[in-house]
Amino acid sequence: MQPTRQQAFELLQKYNQNPGLIKHALAVEATMRHFARHFNEDEEKWGVIGLIHDLDYEQYPEQHCTMTKKILEENSWPEDYIRAVMSHGWQICTDVKPETLLEKTLYAIDELTGLVTTSALVRPSKSILDMKAKSVKKKWKDKRFAAKIDRSIIERGSEMLDMELSQIITLTIEGMAKIADQLELDGRLA
């Protein structure tokens, strides 16, 4: 069985009510879909995995990834989906190292979507639609800015993908821009 986006979204909403966590899930989904198109991979699969990657975070933050695995197994999700979700927590809360292109991408962009979001919100336009990678890289250097975002994870992910950081940031911005309205990064807050 290949889970549908609708099934993934319903499961996400069952375990998450926090609007910020829902927006993060949507941002990761959109970014994963964009990267899947870039790599000529299965956009639906990549998007669904991006959508549910933090399924357990609101209710079980101390058991992050572990409870997602349990929930997905109880719902008969495919092993490769579960493994991909587990791999995004590598060296943080799991020992599942990202190996596939999908897993390496999820690992690289999860934290990055947060940095892109916070970078957009401090722009005068409050929009991702006019943002470039150099704006994010400028904020990257200020360790006090979005201090909870672990830049070393993004760097490791970039190395795993053998891609320049600027290219990963650009692709992440492009992916998120496709749903800027849902993320409230379309300038409405300016």
Side-chain angles (χ1 to χ4, degrees):
M1 157 195 113
Q2 183 168 346
T4 65
R5 186 201 187 270
Q6 183 62 35
Q7 290 168 322
F9 194 65
E10 287 171 6
L11 202 54
L12 177 70
Q13 290 181 308
K14 180 177 177 180
Y15 290 93
N16 293 273
Q17 281 73 54
N18 180 307
L21 292 175
I22 300 285
K23 282 184 201 173
H24 173 67
L26 293 171
V28 172
E29 175 194 18
T31 303
M32 288 296 288
R33 287 179 180 278
H34 189 69
F35 271 84
R37 283 191 297 277
H38 175 79
F39 291 130
N40 199 27
E41 294 287 336
D42 183 344
E43 181 181 337
E44 191 64 19
K45 178 178 183 177
W46 284 45
V48 165
I49 290 169
L51 188 60
I52 54 99
H53 80 285
D54 278 347
L55 181 64
D56 62 6
Y57 195 76
E58 183 174 332
Q59 292 187 19
Y60 308 101
E62 300 303 317
Q63 297 172 283
H64 183 42
C65 292
T66 305
M67 287 304 294
T68 295
K69 178 181 181 183
K70 182 177 186 292
I71 294 164
L72 295 180
E73 285 173 346
E74 288 170 353
N75 285 274
S76 302
W77 278 53
E79 184 55 40
D80 58 330
Y81 284 64
I82 296 169
R83 185 188 163 17
V85 168
M86 294 294 289
S87 74
H88 96 275
W90 181 56
Q91 294 185 327
I92 306 160
C93 56
T94 78
D95 60 358
V96 180
K97 184 176 181 179
E99 293 177 358
T100 67
L101 184 58
L102 183 158
E103 292 169 354
K104 292 173 184 178
T105 303
L106 179 60
Y107 183 80
I109 63 98
D110 179 29
E111 293 279 303
L112 182 55
T113 60
L115 188 60
V116 168
T117 297
T118 53
S119 296
L121 290 173
V122 298
R123 296 173 56 74
S125 66
K126 306 263 191 269
S127 175
I128 196 172
L129 299 173
D130 60 356
M131 192 163 78
K132 302 287 183 217
K134 69 178 184 174
S135 296
V136 177
K137 286 189 86 173
K138 186 176 177 184
K139 296 294 183 191
W140 179 285
K141 294 174 187 170
D142 182 355
K143 300 303 180 200
R144 293 170 304 180
F145 179 79
K148 291 183 179 179
I149 294 173
D150 190 339
R151 288 145 171 88
S152 69
I153 293 172
I154 303 166
E155 289 167 341
R156 276 195 304 271
S158 175
E159 290 168 12
M160 283 184 211
L161 289 169
D162 197 25
M163 292 174 71
E164 291 291 325
L165 185 58
S166 292
Q167 183 183 16
I168 291 174
I169 294 170
T170 297
L171 288 167
T172 299
I173 291 168
E174 290 170 356
M176 290 174 64
K178 290 179 173 22
I179 63 161
D181 59 331
Q182 293 174 60
L183 301 176
E184 296 182 1
L185 297 176
D186 56 357
R188 74 176 69 180
L189 302 174

